[in-house]
Amino acid sequence: MCVPIPGATTRTYSPAASDGGSRLRVKVINRSLFGSASAYSEPTAVVEGPATNLPPVAQLAADPLTGPAPLTVSFDGSASHDPDGTIESWSVGFGDGAVARGQAVTHTYTTAGTYEAELTVVDDSGAEGTSEVSITVTPAEVSAIVLSEPSRWRTFQRDDVSSTLSGHATFRVAGTYPETHDGTHPAVAVDWRFGVGDWAVLDASPGGGQFSGEVTATVGSGLDVRVRYSDGHTEELQDWEVNVGDVFVVTGQSNASGFGWAAEDGGIADEFTTEVGGLPGSLLMNRDENGVHTWYELRDIVDGPFAPTRTDHPMYVQWGGWAQAANDPTGGGPSAAASVWPYALGYLTQVTGVPVGITVVSNPGMPMSWHQKPVGSWSTDPASSDLTAYEELVQRVEQIACIPNGVVDRSVTERPGDLNGAVRAVLHWQGESEATNQSSYAYYLGQVDAWVTDLAVDLGVPIIAAQIGNTPGAAGGDTNVRKVVQDLWDDQSGARSLFKRGPVLYDVALTADPAHIHFKNEDGSMQEAKRRWALAIHDALYASDPDANRGPRLVGSSRDGQTVTLTFDTSLVEEPLGYNGILVRIDGATQTHVPGSPAPGQVSTHRHPIDTRTVVIEFGTQLTGTELVDVSIGTGTYSNAKRVPSVTRTLGSVTTNVPAELLVKRPV
């Protein structure tokens, strides 16, 4: 640009275009008639104009850079920086088609080859910077020892759950080995070791290149096998990924299956790829065309083998794995694999030290009627596509309990005790179908009660059940479903004693489309569901106090003139704008919430300034004492803007606000 200044030499400046402006200070030099120059401090010209945004500088480190498959590599982009702003996002493409977001992520390469991993960082002006590292994966190291049993990634259910780390599991170990060392020295024994235990003899008389034996292992992970030869030489197979811990069966519908919305760009949210830690876990997948189930490693869903293998029957689409993007019917927005289970259970392993396994027996849109135990004979074909959800559940537990197909007589109606204690618990997350169909309280109670009664006979393990989230289009059906779950939590008589308190989720928003009621990552709802599931499972199974992370419960109420007080059993989180999630009615007329002084037909709510367990409701209408005043919490449709009484709960690195328990038109 030109800056004309009287009596001064003219210069032209051309700053590069950009999104912002810069200030260019020009020093004016006055020249005398004799050609001499002197510095002249005035005037100084300040020129406003566009400035250049410098792109961010990406720096990607990786460790290790090479190794045999499967190779787990840690990537760190935290050294990246922006010279004139801030970095807003980090994304790592691993070179094999997988992508994860976050400053620090991990990835496992399962196939030999050379991969170019690329970090892309984006600054606050939208500019990008990239950095690459080369990862070399060599072929997997092949041990001379080959195990046929147990299968890799299998988790065995411990036999004693009376304390966190109590119990054992007994299982068969078998395989093959080179019969001699150097062609002349025979094998004399085969040993085994589990976790941090000592070596012990597995097979004292191996022969013909084969060995077998039965072992009893304590809670832990990692099986080592050693062959000893007559010349003192040994061959070892180390860290065969086998666990002894707790195995969970997931039942329900699409949210239990793993349906969910991922981040807007179709990737996986940072929290979903960086937070999972703790001990190894495993996933028992759905059956293949031969009726065979396979164990896999329970990892983040970027790496995990979550593709279904059966597509010939609707109920097989999700049984056994996490939902794929292609299988998520959610329209009009991002969709990708997302599940609470790897992360909720990952948190548990951090806190408890108990490895976990999981198998998913759920399906999108599956009502409770599909879960019922068959009347009369069961299917005798384990590979049949006509198995009911109950039959599939039992068959999956048989696999976990090492009972081969066909050993258990499925032609009988009752199977008491066959599988008692074969798994740690059932995780049940269902009810959106009945909510959207506006099923009655009595109908849904009958369905759940019958299912719980049958499972108490056949499995005899706890059933940890969730209340469904904020369900659009339910028109009151969601209240019926939540109340059934709440009442079964509170009534612990008979078989209902196994129905344990799960997460309260009514204040967590789901997608707005009633046809696809799924949690979303971008608004934090998936993350919140994950945290509350971790808290609920821990309380139900591992905590000395099963109510340790329970939400606030109403224990008393009173009214005085234009004021009603609600007293809860614990101190509440303060909400400066009041608890607009409390539905207040006078003689059936809903009162409108306002943050300040209420007018007739309005109420304001706030935590008592001294007694932090108490909520004060002020009415704009003068109460005479003859009116019927009732309050509800957790009924109907909520949104993230609704504020309810809650309490802060913590489990390890998990902190969340757990909402008050359901109240349905409670008179006060």
Side-chain angles (χ1 to χ4, degrees), residues 466-482:
Q467 280 184 336
I468 58 173
N470 174 20
T471 310
D478 45 6
T479 299
N480 291 333
V481 168
R482 291 176 193 141

Side-chain angles (χ1 to χ4, degrees), residues 389-427:
Y390 198 96
E391 289 175 299
E392 176 68 20
L393 182 154
V394 170
Q395 186 186 87
R396 197 72 61 86
V397 175
E398 289 172 356
Q399 294 291 312
I400 294 168
C402 305
I403 299 176
N405 290 330
V407 172
V408 175
D409 184 2
R410 286 190 177 81
S411 64
V412 298
T413 303
E414 297 294 337
R415 311 172 58 255
D418 284 347
L419 298 172
N420 283 181
V423 295
R424 184 66 178 95
V426 173
L427 308 179

Side-chain angles (χ1 to χ4, degrees), residues 64-81:
L65 294 174
T66 185
L71 180 66
T72 298
V73 181
S74 297
F75 295 91
D76 188 351
S78 61
S80 305
H81 63 281

